[in-house]
Amino acid sequence: MEELQPMLDSLGRLKESWPGAKWEWDGRFSVVSSSFAADKQTEARASAVHALTRGWTAKDIEAAPESLRELVNRTGGLRGGQRLLAGTHDTLFGLWWPWGNGEMITLRIGLVGAEPTQQLRTLFGV
């Protein structure tokens, strides 16, 4: 658990500064998720960078680590405007998915391998 603490701390900072809706559990992908209005995108990106410091789009996804590319494939790939985000280690990921109407965006945060999923759920209160 000790090696997870820096990651959990960074996720705590993300949660504290998050401008979006309440966090929920998304069982389809075993992630926490929250949506926000597209006009809050600048604030949401500033919050997300506390824990998710790297990112890729459909144009440069081949540069992402293999485990994260596999995750993207399992979740349907990346479409225009969508981003794969990751922490300093490849375990932590974020899926930045704008809605089709352009008015909302959802950020999903999860852990590849899902071993510490309960700590993630506890931290986000879901």
Side-chain angles (χ1 to χ4, degrees):
M1 173 71 174
E2 199 172 301
E3 65 276 1
L4 292 176
Q5 200 55 53
M7 178 181 65
L8 294 172
D9 291 345
S10 68
L11 285 169
R13 289 188 297 277
L14 182 158
K15 182 184 174 207
E16 288 173 14
S17 62
W18 187 246
K22 180 180 171 186
W23 290 92
E24 299 177 349
W25 181 248
D26 181 343
R28 293 179 306 151
F29 303 121
S30 297
V31 296
V32 296
S33 70
S34 177
S35 299
F36 58 94
D39 64 357
K40 297 281 186 191
Q41 191 167 182
T42 300
E43 296 96 323
R45 285 181 189 250
S47 178
V49 80
H50 285 295
L52 302 165
T53 56
R54 302 177 292 157
W56 301 269
T57 65
K59 292 180 182 177
D60 61 1
I61 191 63
E62 290 305 315
E66 183 178 350
S67 62
L68 294 174
R69 289 193 317 267
E70 289 172 0
L71 168 84
V72 165
N73 288 335
R74 286 192 311 271
T75 59
L78 291 179
R79 295 178 183 85
Q82 293 181 336
R83 297 182 59 84
L84 165 65
L85 305 174
T88 56
H89 298 286
D90 298 343
T91 305
L92 178 63
F93 70 88
L95 299 171
W96 182 277
W97 288 356
W99 294 18
N101 64 11
E103 295 177 13
M104 299 290 289
I105 300 170
T106 298
L107 176 62
R108 291 173 171 84
I109 299 174
L111 301 164
V112 175
E115 291 172 18
T117 299
Q118 189 55 52
Q119 289 96 325
L120 182 68
R121 290 187 77 162
T122 299
L123 177 68
F124 284 88
V126 297

